[in-house]
Amino acid sequence: MKERIVILDFGSQYTQLIARRVREHQVYCEIFPYSKIPPLTPDIKAIILSGSPCSVKEEDSPRVDFDQFVNKLPVLGICYGAQLLADHYGGRVERSEKREYGKAHLDQWHHSDVLLQDIPEGSQVWMSHGDTIIDLPDSFELVAGTGQIETAIFRNRNGKFSAPVYGLQFHPEVTHSVHGSQLLHNFLFDIAGCSPTWSPSSFVEESIQKLREKIGTDGVLMGLSGGVDSTVAATIMHQAIGKQLICFFIDNGLLRKHEFEEVLDSYQGMGLNVVGIDARERFYTALKGLSEPEAKRKAIGKTFVDVFQDEAEKLHNIKWLGQGTIYPDVIESVSVHGPSVTIKSHHNVGGLPDSLDLKVVEPLNMLFKDEVRAVGDEIKVPHKILHRHPFPGPGLGIRILGEITAQKVALLQEADYIFIKHLKESGYYDKIWQAGAILLPVQSVGVMGDERTYEQVVALRAVNSRDGMTADWSDIPHVLLSKISSQIINEVKGINRVVYDISTKPPATIEWE
């Protein structure tokens, strides 16, 4: 039976990070809204309470029924979770005169504790809270404090609870808490008694078995994008059910130069049963006359659905729709406080219609992005696909500002091809998170030989990021940028100026549309 940790989400921006840190210790965990505590089955080893943007002093702050799990399993409350424990059991929590945010140091040891094993006194931690625990309940005692606050770590007194309960005023999951990983290690293994059994190989073995049991002899249809998630999902399903899986790879006319042929060859070399569909003209027709970004996105999405449905109707015995949904998509589609604040609707392949009448199978829906790549390595997905830069669903459609035509696509494909080729040859491609060229809806004056030109402008964009939520522009050497610019201007007829985007996200976005 697979062990797991349950993380109750109170709306913190760091909840997913807590889960990722737990998984890094090879311990499986799942996130649930605080209002939907799962039944306490024997596989659950402990409960972690996340932080929250709310205050326990607010009348409608999120609350939880502690009787469901306290005294039954080890509990770790982080920030709001710790304040909630203190408040619920009779302590005093007050609004801070000023928000405590930033670095602090654990320099007041009140008790030695297994939670602090191998953590030195003075260890740096990261604070981010607006409430402060003034007085602990009688059932708890101090473990450690900082120079700023007395209550940084607390625990249950001996005999007060039948299972350990801890509260942390800081965030051990962020890298600014220098020994936060060690603290979580101590909680998971020494307090909760977990075993490090969660690994890419165990995931693959278990997934293949479950897929065979679930799908049986049915057919599965899946749309591939050439990206990491859909490719890894398809490869696992192929290893489970073989030729019962049929994949569509649709050329929407907005892919990079040679991408359709190269990716199709890669898929077929992996043994996948892939049908390549040339739908370029359908997409160009649907995009004719459209220049507003959202209108273009909708046209691309609708055309994808139409093409997919037309091709799917030619097949028989298809009962399942395979999708490359990953865990952040699932988490973000579940509201903590109700439907009004759901971050986004559940991810799916282009919003495929209910008329297909297919059941959905999502083999990666419990994995984070870094875990998807680790699983991909395990199942031998080619490096060039596994470590490919993220590429937007609408493709070059949102990198051509203004109306899209086949001529503009061809122009951008050439410039983009030169940019990416130089990054790969120089070794910078693997140092950058995402890169691409953008065709701007402006023309500039130039001189080529003795001729005056009035041609297009291309912007180069390259960023470094961990997850795409924030990003810094990549500091590509000027000598390399000069080579790229010279080759684009010299070889791509119709472009006479190249600029480099040095905007960060925020305030800018990674893509221009």
Side-chain angles (χ1 to χ4, degrees):
M1 179 170 53
K2 180 172 63 181
E3 299 174 351
R4 60 177 171 151
I5 297 291
V6 166
I7 301 170
L8 297 184
D9 182 17
F10 292 90
S12 170
Q13 62 178 323
Y14 296 134
T15 303
Q16 287 193 36
L17 190 54
I18 298 171
R20 289 179 64 178
R21 293 290 178 260
V22 171
R23 300 261 186 105
E24 285 172 5
H25 289 288
Q26 292 184 274
V27 175
Y28 181 69
C29 65
E30 293 182 28
I31 296 172
F32 293 85
Y34 71 92
S35 57
K36 296 181 180 178
I37 302 173
L40 297 189
T41 50
D43 60 314
I44 299 177
K45 303 291 286 185
I47 304 285
I48 296 178
L49 312 176
S50 85
S52 174
C54 303
S55 164
V56 297
K57 305 304 292 182
E58 296 169 357
E59 191 172 329
D60 59 348
S61 61
R63 298 275 168 170
V64 69
D65 181 5
F66 285 113
D67 290 340
Q68 290 190 51
F69 53 85
V70 171
N71 285 314
K72 299 172 184 175
L73 291 170
V75 176
L76 177 66
I78 296 175
C79 199
Y80 178 86
Q83 295 156 8
L84 200 59
L85 282 165
D87 183 71
H88 176 79
Y89 287 103
R92 185 157 67 97
V93 181
E94 299 290 348
R95 296 292 288 170
S96 305
E97 291 186 7
K98 62 179 181 179
R99 182 176 173 84
E100 293 170 318
Y101 183 86
K103 299 172 184 176
H105 297 272
L106 296 175
D107 52 14
Q108 298 178 40
W109 247 237
H110 297 279
H111 294 281
S112 61
D113 191 279
V114 66
L115 187 68
L116 295 176
Q117 182 175 297
D118 296 325
I119 296 176
E121 192 162 350
S123 177
Q124 177 182 294
V125 296
W126 186 259
M127 297 286 182
S128 179
H129 60 96
D131 288 352
T132 298
I133 300 170
I134 306 298
D135 294 313
L136 282 173
D138 292 339
S139 50
F140 292 101
E141 61 184 1
L142 281 174
V143 174
T146 73
Q148 291 81 23
I149 61 169
E150 183 180 14
T151 307
I153 304 176
F154 61 88
R155 69 184 181 193
N156 60 287
R157 291 185 187 274
N158 285 336
K160 294 295 183 181
F161 294 97
S162 56
V165 179
Y166 287 87
L168 310 176
Q169 183 59 86
F170 56 91
H171 288 271
E173 69 274 19
V174 302
T175 54
H176 299 298
S177 291
V178 175
H179 297 93
S181 178
Q182 180 64 47
L183 187 148
L184 289 172
H185 176 280
N186 295 342
F187 178 77
L188 294 170
F189 298 112
D190 298 322
I191 295 170
C194 295
S195 302
T197 56
W198 172 248
S199 66
S201 59
S202 67
F203 173 82
V204 170
E205 183 179 348
E206 183 179 333
S207 296
I208 289 175
Q209 180 182 343
K210 286 184 176 179
L211 286 168
R212 287 172 178 164
E213 292 172 356
K214 176 184 285 189
I215 294 168
T217 59
D218 295 340
V220 180
L221 177 61
M222 185 168 184
L224 299 181
S225 66
V228 176
D229 301 339
S230 65
T231 302
V232 173
T235 305
I236 286 180
M237 284 196 285
H238 174 72
Q239 291 188 6
I241 62 171
K243 294 299 182 181
Q244 292 168 234
L245 173 68
I246 299 176
C247 302
F248 288 164
F249 182 44
I250 298 173
D251 186 354
N252 58 9
L254 303 169
L255 301 174
R256 284 174 155 153
K257 183 179 179 181
H258 301 319
E259 186 172 25
F260 182 65
E261 296 81 9
E262 289 176 357
V263 172
L264 200 57
D265 286 345
S266 295
Y267 282 147
Q268 290 170 344
M270 294 162 61
L272 294 176
N273 184 13
V274 182
V275 178
I277 300 167
D278 183 352
R280 288 174 293 179
E281 292 306 319
R282 286 185 67 170
F283 280 87
Y284 292 151
T285 300
L287 288 163
K288 189 173 183 179
L290 302 179
S291 58
E292 198 274 322
E294 190 60 24
K296 291 193 295 183
R297 285 177 179 272
K298 287 181 178 178
I300 293 168
K302 182 181 183 303
T303 306
F304 179 89
V305 169
D306 291 344
V307 172
F308 196 98
Q309 187 166 16
D310 288 348
E311 296 295 326
E313 288 173 353
K314 301 174 184 177
L315 303 175
H316 303 285
N317 193 40
I318 299 296
K319 303 292 178 63
W320 297 85
L321 176 68
Q323 295 191 165
T325 310
I326 64 175
Y327 200 30
D329 299 320
V330 177
I331 297 167
E332 292 177 359
S333 70
V334 178
S335 169
V336 170
H337 298 291
S340 62
V341 293
T342 297
I343 296 173
K344 68 179 181 181
S345 58
H346 188 31
H347 167 86
N348 56 48
V349 183
L352 296 176
D354 293 337
S355 56
L356 283 175
D357 193 28
L358 300 176
K359 295 175 285 186
V360 174
V361 56
E362 301 168 316
L364 307 182
N365 67 356
M366 298 309 293
L367 296 185
F368 289 103
K369 192 75 170 186
D370 53 341
E371 294 173 324
V372 173
R373 285 199 166 96
V375 167
D377 273 328
E378 181 71 24
I379 57 178
K380 311 301 184 195
V381 172
H383 181 277
K384 64 181 179 181
I385 290 181
L386 200 57
H387 296 278
R388 179 178 183 243
H389 285 182
F391 190 63
L396 300 181
I398 59 171
R399 293 184 179 176
I400 296 172
L401 275 58
E403 184 179 0
I404 296 170
T405 64
Q407 292 74 24
K408 288 181 180 179
V409 170
L411 202 64
L412 182 58
Q413 282 178 332
E414 293 297 330
D416 180 82
Y417 180 79
I418 292 169
F419 182 28
I420 299 301
K421 182 192 71 166
H422 275 282
L423 291 180
K424 289 180 176 178
E425 290 176 350
S426 65
Y428 269 85
Y429 184 86
D430 288 335
K431 299 177 184 178
I432 292 169
W433 193 74
Q434 183 173 347
I438 298 96
L439 187 67
L440 306 186
V442 294
Q443 292 178 292
S444 73
V445 173
V447 177
M448 292 185 176
D450 293 326
E451 293 185 19
R452 176 186 175 94
T453 62
Y454 191 58
E455 295 177 338
Q456 299 288 137
V457 180
V458 159
L460 305 181
R461 180 72 158 145
V463 298
N464 287 83
S465 176
R466 289 191 65 179
D467 52 17
M469 300 302 292
T470 61
D472 292 321
W473 59 276
S474 301
D475 191 8
I476 298 174
H478 293 179
V479 173
L480 180 55
L481 285 174
S482 178
K483 288 181 181 178
I484 295 166
S485 174
S486 294
Q487 187 173 353
I488 290 174
I489 291 171
N490 289 335
E491 297 184 9
V492 185
K493 188 175 182 180
I495 295 174
N496 70 354
R497 190 177 299 270
V498 175
V499 298
Y500 188 58
D501 182 351
I502 58 169
S503 308
T504 60
K505 176 186 179 181
T509 53
I510 295 176
E511 299 292 345
W512 280 44
E513 284 192 348

